[in-house]
């Protein structure tokens, strides 16, 4: 069944979009991530303009993060102070990201920049995650410890000034690296249409040394607020948020996430990291291939969706 998307300005198969939402929801539920790094490329691959895909997926990520954040809040698995400090940088990064997004779109270089960003970021992060997961799996088979780094240990970051005591996470840490992490995640999310959970969670655990008991819930709060903010800014400044597309994705995503969460509980942690690394790496490679192969249509006069810059 075909449905016309008003902002994307193309007809799409509703069942295909629902299936994509369900598939990404399954992956999100299995790995505990937002799934934007997978949803945005999939939409681009099926013909949605990159600008519309980035702006519309932000609302999908926000919706999927809301229920998770509520659940973690009820279990007192969110550090409110840590989340607030992260949001200081996150909101600034989101605003800067949307401004960069708008500027690149006005120059006509947005699509190229999105593709290059995905290639660099996903290939790097995916490769590191795959290597770390493989090492953990090999250590587990040899009978060694799966995790060599322990949250709570100290590094050079803990010597920075302007420290705060985050009681829920039981850490004493400078606000500088926390704000910087939020800034980076907010910027990346606004430009690339990803929640950034697959980057944020490792940063919080291995760099900020936040205990795993509060990492997921706190990261979901940052993702929720920054994605809502990004959606609002994209809608006001670029008019690129396709509500119809976002609604279809949310319906499929909520359904798939339920099954993914059950599947994730049956797989060992190191195997999950290995699979996630492979998935991230595969998406990065797919974007790289798109950049080097010769397109079928060398020229196009079709609008890319939304109001003209």
């Amino acid at each position: 069944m075909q449905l016309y998307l008003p902002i994307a300005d193309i007809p799409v198969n509703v069942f295909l979009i629902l299936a994509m939402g369900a598939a990404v929801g399954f992956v999100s539920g299995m790995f505990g991530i937002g799934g934007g790094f997978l949803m945005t490329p999939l939409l681009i691959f099926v013909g949605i303009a990159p600008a519309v895909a980035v702006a519309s997926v932000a609302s999908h990520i926000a919706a999927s993060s809301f229920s998770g954040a509520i659940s973690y809040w009820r279990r007192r698995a969110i550090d409110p102070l840590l989340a607030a400090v992260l949001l200081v940088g996150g909101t600034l990064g989101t605003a800067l990201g949307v401004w960069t997004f708008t500027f690149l779109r006005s120059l006509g270089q947005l699509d190229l920049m999105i593709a290059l960003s995905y290639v660099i970021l996903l290939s790097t992060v995916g490769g590191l995650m795959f290597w770390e997961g493989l090492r953990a799996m090999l250590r587990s088979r040899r009978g060694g410890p799966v995790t060599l780094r322990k949250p709570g240990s100290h590094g050079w970051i803990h010597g920075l000034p302007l420290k705060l005591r985050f009681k829920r996470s039981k850490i004493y840490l400078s606000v500088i690296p926390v704000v910087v992490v939020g800034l980076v995640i907010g910027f990346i999310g606004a430009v690339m249409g990803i929640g950034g959970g697959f980057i944020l969670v490792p940063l919080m655990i291995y760099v900020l040394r936040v205990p795993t008991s509060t990492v997921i819930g706190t990261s979901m709060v940052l993702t929720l607020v920054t994605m809502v903010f990004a959606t609002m800014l994209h809608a006001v400044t670029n008019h690129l948020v396709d509500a119809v597309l976002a609604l279809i994705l949310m319906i499929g995503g909520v359904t798939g996430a339920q099954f993914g969460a059950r599947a994730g509980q049956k797989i060992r942690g190191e195997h999950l990291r290995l699979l996630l690394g492979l998935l991230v790496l595969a998406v990065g490679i797919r974007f790289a291939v798109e950049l080097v192969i010769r397109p079928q249509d060398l020229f196009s006069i079709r609008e890319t969706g939304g109001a003209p810059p």
Side-chain angles (χ1 to χ4, degrees):
M1 183 176 68
Q2 296 290 318
L3 179 67
Y4 179 75
L5 299 178
I7 303 299
D9 194 26
I10 61 170
V12 295
N13 188 307
V14 176
F15 298 110
L16 174 62
I17 302 299
L18 278 173
M20 288 169 52
V24 174
F26 182 86
V27 173
S28 300
M30 177 180 289
F31 297 112
I33 56 177
F37 77 95
L38 185 59
M39 179 59 75
T40 302
L42 284 177
L43 291 176
I44 294 174
F45 295 155
V46 299
I48 305 295
V52 177
V54 168
S56 301
V57 167
S59 59
H60 171 255
I61 298 172
S64 62
S65 299
F66 178 74
S67 59
I70 293 296
S71 175
Y72 280 98
W73 178 266
R74 290 174 178 172
R75 286 186 281 170
R76 298 179 62 84
I78 293 176
D79 190 322
L81 181 58
L82 181 59
V85 177
L86 282 169
L87 285 172
V88 172
T91 51
L92 291 175
T94 301
L96 180 60
V98 172
W99 179 85
T100 304
F101 183 98
T102 305
F103 177 70
L104 291 173
R105 185 167 177 251
S106 67
L107 296 178
Q109 300 298 319
L110 180 61
D111 293 4
L112 176 62
M113 184 57 62
I114 290 175
L116 287 174
S117 298
Y118 267 101
V119 170
I120 296 172
L121 180 64
L122 297 188
S123 298
T124 302
V125 175
L128 291 174
M129 292 176 68
F130 173 77
W131 177 245
E132 194 276 335
L134 182 61
R135 290 179 60 190
M137 187 175 66
L138 293 176
R139 286 196 301 267
S140 177
R141 288 185 176 181
R142 294 170 184 168
V146 174
T147 303
L148 297 180
R149 298 181 182 179
K150 296 182 179 180
S153 58
H154 294 277
W156 64 270
I157 285 180
H158 290 75
L160 295 175
L162 301 177
K163 290 186 177 181
L164 281 179
R165 190 173 300 279
F166 301 95
K167 295 182 179 180
R168 185 69 60 83
S169 297
K170 299 179 181 179
I171 57 174
Y172 186 53
L173 182 67
S174 169
V175 299
I176 296 175
V178 180
V179 172
V180 170
V181 168
L183 180 73
V184 171
I185 297 300
F187 180 83
I188 292 175
V191 174
M192 299 178 62
I194 59 177
F198 69 101
I199 305 174
L200 177 60
V201 171
L203 282 177
M204 292 177 68
I205 293 176
Y206 296 113
V207 177
L208 302 182
R209 298 293 193 262
V210 179
T212 54
S213 58
T214 58
V215 163
I216 302 296
T218 306
S219 68
M220 281 189 172
V221 173
L222 177 64
T223 300
L224 170 62
V225 177
T226 54
M227 288 296 99
V228 169
F229 189 38
T231 300
M232 294 172 57
L233 290 179
H234 278 305
V236 172
T237 59
N238 298 306
H239 310 288
L240 291 173
V241 178
D242 196 310
V244 176
L245 175 61
L247 179 61
I248 298 173
L249 292 174
M250 282 187 280
I251 294 174
V254 170
T255 304
Q258 305 301 318
F259 295 97
R262 296 175 186 175
Q265 295 173 357
K266 301 178 182 179
I267 304 177
R268 294 172 61 91
E270 58 269 23
H271 293 168
L272 280 175
R273 292 196 296 272
L274 184 65
L275 290 173
L276 181 58
L278 280 173
L279 185 61
V280 174
L281 189 59
V283 176
I285 293 174
R286 178 69 169 81
F287 260 105
V289 172
E290 286 287 323
L291 285 175
V292 298
I293 63 173
R294 182 185 179 90
Q296 293 181 351
D297 298 321
L298 297 180
F299 302 97
S300 174
I301 59 174
R302 179 179 171 275
E303 291 287 342
T304 58

